[in-house]
Amino acid sequence: MSGGGHGALLGSAALLGGALVLVLGELYQASASWGLSFGLAPAGRQGEHQAVFSLGRGFQQFAGPWLMTSLVVGAAGTGRLVLAALFALLGLAPPPLVRGLEKARARTEPAPT
């Protein structure tokens, strides 16, 4: 590389930027997970809600390696596009779903006195 060290500097900046995005994403995911698992639980049924919420993580750990291997290794370029579309869909789905749950809960819960 002829760039007088600019390639290494650019690579380092990209690496640090990627690490920052990863850390911020992890923090956002963890706080959102707590908010969803506890904040949406009906009063007095937090344990049941936690148990069902944990099924998602178990399914992720079960199906994730198979899905990644099948799509990234087995289907190459097409599989990566399918995986990107799946990530986009699953990333965009929670906000409208949570809004719907909050509206449904507001209709069914008695007003505080």
Side-chain angles (χ1 to χ4, degrees), residues 3-52:
H6 293 298
L9 185 61
L10 184 61
S12 296
L15 182 64
L16 287 174
L20 179 64
V21 168
L22 178 67
V23 167
L24 291 174
E26 289 276 343
L27 289 171
Y28 182 76
Q29 182 275 332
S31 64
S33 175
W34 278 91
L36 288 174
S37 63
F38 286 104
L40 291 177
R45 300 184 68 188
Q46 288 86 1
E48 293 171 30
H49 197 266
Q50 279 292 309
V52 173

Side-chain angles (χ1 to χ4, degrees), residues 39-80:
L40 291 177
R45 300 184 68 188
Q46 288 86 1
E48 293 171 30
H49 197 266
Q50 279 292 309
V52 173
F53 190 81
S54 296
L55 289 174
R57 186 162 307 190
F59 181 74
Q60 168 194 345
Q61 291 173 341
F62 165 74
W66 171 82
L67 185 64
M68 292 296 289
T69 302
S70 298
L71 291 176
V72 174
V73 176
T78 306
R80 291 182 184 141

